[in-house]
Amino acid sequence: MMPNYRHLLSTCLLAISVAASGLAHANCEDLAKGFKDAVPKRADYVNIVGQDFDTVLERGYITFAVYEDFAPYSWKSGTEAKGIDIDIAKVIAEEMGVEAKFNFFASDENVDADFRNQVWRGGLINGEVSNIMMHAPYNKDLQCRNEFVVLGGQYFNETLATAYRIDAFPDGVPTTPYYRFHKVGVENDTISAFYLANFNGGMLMKNVIHYPDHQAAFRGLLDKQVDAVMGVKGKLEYMVQSNDTEEKVAVDTPPLVNFSLNEWTIGIAVNFRYREIYYTADGVIEDMVKDGRMKKVFEKYQVSYTKPDY
């Protein structure tokens, strides 16, 4: 399973509707309309105990919310936590002089719900929250409609990419029009699925094959159910290098015709009341980006690194 990026699609559609109505300078309240389930009333807020900076230092550990089964970013191997987000979190904890502990969770309906359940309110069952949520998409509109969350600590840019069988495309990575004649796999409810389903009035739909996740789509590629897979670059790169197969598969980032939402920034999310934790983690991440440690973390998992847009 991967984080649900439907908020990026809704943000894109929302921006179109705002521009069409002449509200080019919409404020946060305008942007939040239609997200009543994601923007809480202050009266509904319940104080969270044990999340301030001093408490973290006293108890000797800091908790991180990380997506489950989300290689190469976060997953469990037996009882051991592994992945890019895990390694970054451990550096943050080490710099603070505490231990890193991880709360693995499955993505909810959208990232607004993930913030609600993991950062400021807690799930309906146990109500547990974490000090820091890793792999949080960063953009102005998302911050605008989540007033109880501070977004920042950007550590890389996520990019859409295409994994393809070289025997099907000997001349190099296919561009979108190729899928008039070749089948392409996508994960359900992702930006890739949205883009391909709506390309040129839906002309590619018969050749767009939907799978429950990236892993299933990649297996479809290896089994020759499809000739290519469009998805998150880091995940596709990791699958190529971690699958021992005779099939020659490459990953590249072709230009996406009539689409600009092919890259977005990833960072952290912290409860708005505990900014000292946020400032500390943000500073550690900035240092890691500047001194090259962040790039080395990605290289460890054979994933190419793109610096965030500040």
Side-chain angles (χ1 to χ4, degrees):
M1 183 177 291
M2 69 172 293
N4 194 315
Y5 292 122
R6 266 178 281 179
H7 71 280
L8 289 171
L9 305 183
S10 62
T11 296
C12 182
L13 296 174
L14 183 60
I16 294 172
S17 66
V18 168
S21 61
L23 299 177
H25 301 287
N27 57 28
C28 278
E29 183 179 354
D30 294 322
L31 289 169
K33 288 178 180 178
F35 297 94
K36 293 180 180 179
D37 63 327
V39 181
K41 298 178 180 178
R42 291 192 181 277
D44 295 336
Y45 184 78
V46 178
N47 186 36
I48 302 171
V49 179
Q51 298 297 305
D52 62 278
F53 190 85
D54 289 339
T55 301
V56 168
L57 295 182
E58 289 173 4
R59 72 188 183 188
Y61 67 88
I62 183 170
T63 55
F64 295 88
V66 292
Y67 288 100
E68 64 181 22
D69 300 325
F70 188 44
Y73 300 108
S74 52
W75 77 96
K76 276 187 176 181
S77 178
T79 59
E80 183 182 0
K82 290 187 174 183
I84 292 171
D85 291 344
I86 302 298
D87 288 2
I88 297 169
K90 286 181 178 179
V91 174
I92 294 172
E94 182 179 358
E95 293 286 332
M96 292 179 63
V98 296
E99 178 188 357
K101 292 190 176 183
F102 300 98
N103 295 323
F104 284 84
F105 70 96
S107 60
D108 209 310
E109 182 181 1
N110 54 40
V111 76
D112 303 275
D114 291 341
F115 291 159
R116 182 172 64 242
N117 294 334
Q118 307 303 322
V119 178
W120 63 264
R121 191 194 69 183
L124 295 177
I125 297 177
N126 57 23
E128 183 180 4
V129 297
S130 298
N131 298 114
I132 297 174
M133 175 178 158
M134 302 296 294
H135 216 96
Y138 177 89
N139 66 63
K140 180 181 67 177
D141 298 335
L142 188 62
Q143 176 65 89
C144 232
R145 67 177 190 254
N146 286 277
E147 59 179 359
F148 287 173
V149 175
V150 179
L151 298 178
Q154 303 100 302
Y155 50 96
F156 81 107
N157 274 7
E158 192 90 271
T159 308
L160 290 183
T162 300
Y164 62 98
R165 292 202 330 274
I166 295 175
D167 63 344
F169 301 101
D171 295 327
V173 59
T175 55
T176 311
Y178 276 78
Y179 303 133
R180 294 177 59 190
F181 312 105
H182 294 266
K183 293 186 183 298
V184 55
V186 293
E187 178 177 337
N188 289 323
D189 297 322
T190 58
I191 297 173
S192 301
F194 171 85
Y195 166 65
L196 292 175
N198 289 276
F199 180 78
N200 205 6
M203 67 178 297
L204 306 178
M205 287 187 66
K206 66 182 180 68
N207 281 335
V208 179
I209 311 301
H210 293 259
Y211 293 90
D213 52 40
H214 273 56
Q215 289 87 343
F218 192 77
R219 286 195 297 271
L221 177 66
L222 298 181
D223 294 339
K224 297 188 176 183
Q225 298 171 8
V226 295
D227 293 331
V229 171
M230 183 179 289
V232 175
K233 185 179 181 181
K235 292 179 70 67
L236 295 177
E237 288 180 329
Y238 182 76
M239 290 175 193
V240 168
Q241 61 87 18
S242 61
N243 279 270
D244 184 17
T245 174
E246 295 181 358
E247 292 293 334
K248 292 185 178 180
V249 177
V251 177
D252 207 339
T253 53
L256 299 182
V257 182
N258 298 328
F259 197 62
S260 60
L261 197 66
N262 63 332
E263 186 174 271
W264 57 97
T265 306
I266 295 295
I268 62 172
V270 179
N271 187 298
F272 82 106
R273 289 194 169 199
Y274 309 113
R275 290 179 183 268
E276 192 171 2
I277 290 176
Y278 164 77
Y279 292 138
T280 301
D282 181 72
V284 173
I285 288 171
E286 183 178 0
D287 289 342
M288 291 180 69
V289 172
K290 288 181 177 179
D291 64 22
R293 283 181 293 166
M294 190 65 70
K295 184 178 180 181
K296 289 183 179 179
V297 170
F298 279 75
E299 289 175 345
K300 173 183 174 181
Y301 296 91
Q302 300 184 42
V303 173
S304 57
Y305 178 66
T306 303
K307 283 187 177 182
D309 294 328
Y310 289 114

